[in-house]
Amino acid sequence: MTTDDTITLRLATEDDWDAIALLDAHAFGEHQNSEDMAETKLLTASSEIFLACDGDLPVGVTMHFPMDVTVPGGTTLPATGVSWVSVAPTHRRRGILRRMFTAQHERFEEAGKPLSVLTASEATIYERFGYGPATQGVTYSIDRRFAAFRPDLPPPVGARLVTSEQARELLPDIHRRWQQRTPGAQPMPQTRWQRFFADRKNARGGFSKLFFVVHPDGYVAFRRGYRVGTAGAQDARIVDFRAVTDEARSALWQVLCGIDLVETFEVTLPVGDPLLTLLTDRRVPQVQSVKDGLWVRLMDVPAALSARTYAVDTDLTVAVEDPFLNAGGVFRMVVRDGHADVVRTDREPDITVSSSVLGSLYLGAHRARQFAAANRVQATSERALHEFDLTFGTPRQPEIGWFF
């Protein structure tokens, strides 16, 4: 990679949206329609978009949305949501992404928000900027004809079929309650709810409009489509599944697996989701893929670590290496009754991690021992590693709230 001094950086103006849309279309292979573009403009201002330009021609873009993220223990932290990151294929390997990210993240440092988050189209780009994958989703294919539920489960009381208009009234409150207790979840902006219920044809992937099943403490939205070459058999794709309680999860799955004509469901669930334990045959859900969701970077390590709760009490000194920005240092982390006091210190560290690994550990989806096995967590003793590994554990698996 080389640094090209002929490339200049500037903030966008309202006149740049066509150029931004063109860069995005080439980067992600999809042209935004006018409605989607209008909704994106409600999420950010052009003055929050950095452009890299070759002369007058925009060749790179990165923007961000104001966002909140639930952390373990239920606190909602302010964050910046990085999105629409791309460099034109005509201008690769010139250091453009690093220059844009440096300018953008220096502004984040000035703003003082403790977290920055993003979703990644490629998994090899963002660790060098201090981001780590902090939620994981497993995509299953479930043949509902063989999905038998354990006989001691209560019947699906409370679940009902609703129209799109009824779902519009019911889902936001359920989602809010789910988000408040789920690490990694973000509140859904009103403009995203509008896009969700608009249910435009370009979002359906050849499947039907959305169907909804609602429980007082959960909901599922899914699409149906006929399988090519079969006599009436259908597949279904679950677009959104949110359960505030275990009872709601059980009820919704029992309803879904009782739908006639549908042979298979495709759904993405967090690692460790209880679905497998509801079934008499846990092999019925077949794993199709495992993919990261939310990526996290701690912009202010003491503020971010102090905001969440922890599984065990400990007193550790943690060195955080941050070659990209200024969030690194050595911190004493004292956890008592699940809450941490985190301050900078001159003590020798018990644990050394990169900022990207700390981002991966932050919401509880990953274990420190996984990274230690790859020499990405260094510990001065087995006791220190054991405590560091246990303390970041969470009772509820983290999930991303919405992709951006």
Side-chain angles (χ1 to χ4, degrees):
M1 182 183 71
T2 60
T3 299
D4 189 339
D5 293 333
T6 66
I7 302 299
T8 60
L9 297 185
R10 65 174 175 85
L11 295 175
T13 70
E14 287 298 303
D15 294 333
D16 290 313
W17 276 106
D18 286 346
I20 293 168
L22 182 63
L23 286 169
D24 183 75
H26 277 278
F28 301 106
E30 180 181 2
H31 290 283
Q32 297 280 329
N33 61 36
S34 59
E35 294 91 345
D36 291 344
M37 283 296 298
E39 290 163 1
T40 299
K41 292 179 183 180
L42 294 176
L43 292 173
T44 191
S46 57
S47 60
E48 301 295 340
I49 302 172
F50 283 86
L51 291 179
C53 297
D54 186 350
D56 294 331
L57 178 68
V59 295
V61 61
T62 181
M63 69 176 68
H64 65 274
F65 309 137
M67 191 171 290
D68 296 312
V69 177
T70 304
V71 302
T75 297
T76 300
L77 278 188
T80 48
V82 177
S83 190
W84 285 51
V85 182
S86 65
V87 175
T90 54
H91 285 69
R92 295 289 168 81
R93 311 303 297 171
R94 302 190 191 184
I96 292 173
L97 175 59
R98 178 168 289 272
R99 288 183 61 190
M100 291 193 303
F101 254 41
T102 299
Q104 183 186 45
H105 285 71
E106 285 175 350
R107 176 173 286 198
F108 293 170
E109 286 183 321
E110 294 173 2
K113 292 185 179 181
L115 297 178
S116 181
V117 296
L118 55 80
T119 59
S121 57
E122 297 181 54
T124 58
I125 297 174
Y126 296 105
E127 286 187 354
R128 64 182 180 268
F129 300 112
Y131 288 85
T135 70
Q136 287 191 108
V138 181
T139 299
Y140 294 100
S141 178
I142 303 168
D143 192 326
R144 70 145 200 104
R145 298 169 298 174
F146 302 103
F149 291 89
R150 303 190 70 86
D152 53 349
L153 284 179
V157 175
R160 61 191 177 102
L161 313 182
V162 300
T163 65
S164 178
E165 289 72 21
Q166 292 170 316
R168 189 187 296 269
E169 298 297 321
L170 297 170
L171 267 56
D173 179 67
I174 297 171
H175 187 280
R176 178 188 56 79
R177 289 188 284 128
W178 169 84
Q179 169 262 316
Q180 289 175 339
R181 62 177 299 180
T182 304
Q186 320 101 290
M188 184 88 87
Q190 184 59 37
T191 183
R192 295 295 299 209
W193 280 119
Q194 291 171 355
R195 176 183 293 195
F196 181 74
F197 288 113
D199 198 10
R200 299 183 186 111
K201 190 173 183 179
N202 67 315
R204 298 176 197 165
F207 278 56
S208 70
K209 291 183 178 180
L210 288 170
F211 292 90
F212 299 93
V213 182
V214 172
H215 182 279
D217 293 316
Y219 67 84
V220 59
F222 62 98
R223 305 185 189 281
R224 297 169 66 164
Y226 286 100
R227 187 180 301 178
V228 176
T230 61
Q234 295 183 16
D235 295 322
R237 292 178 180 172
I238 294 177
V239 175
D240 204 13
F241 190 113
R242 307 299 181 193
V244 181
T245 65
D246 293 336
E247 292 77 12
R249 179 186 297 103
S250 173
L252 290 169
W253 273 118
Q254 289 182 71
V255 171
L256 285 172
C257 290
I259 296 175
D260 289 333
L261 299 183
V262 172
E263 288 192 359
T264 63
F265 280 98
E266 183 180 282
V267 62
T268 300
L269 301 171
V271 175
D273 185 90
L275 171 62
L276 301 185
T277 64
L278 300 177
L279 301 171
T280 58
D281 184 353
R282 62 185 298 118
R283 297 181 183 180
V284 170
Q286 296 288 305
V287 174
Q288 304 300 302
S289 65
V290 180
K291 189 177 180 180
D292 50 84
L294 193 72
W295 290 59
V296 170
R297 175 188 163 83
L298 278 63
M299 298 295 297
D300 184 331
V301 171
L305 292 182
S306 299
R308 59 154 290 176
T309 57
Y310 296 89
V312 299
D313 290 353
T314 190
D315 184 346
L316 291 170
T317 302
V318 181
V320 180
E321 298 174 342
D322 182 11
F324 176 52
L325 291 176
N326 303 305
V330 182
F331 306 89
R332 185 180 181 188
M333 178 178 173
V334 180
V335 180
R336 295 291 180 264
D337 298 323
H339 296 276
D341 181 41
V342 183
V343 295
R344 290 186 179 271
T345 181
D346 294 328
R347 292 172 48 167
E348 289 297 312
D350 304 301
I351 299 289
T352 300
V353 297
S354 67
S355 53
S356 64
V357 168
L358 189 61
S360 289
L361 298 176
Y362 183 65
L363 296 177
H366 300 281
R367 299 288 298 270
R369 282 194 180 275
Q370 292 174 291
F371 291 99
N375 199 37
R376 297 178 65 191
V377 170
Q378 291 86 41
T380 57
S381 68
E382 170 60 28
R383 180 201 65 81
L385 178 58
H386 182 63
E387 291 187 11
F388 190 67
D389 181 55
L390 291 180
T391 195
F392 280 86
T394 57
R396 189 177 179 95
Q397 278 293 312
E399 293 184 65
I400 187 171
W402 55 279
F403 281 85
F404 53 94

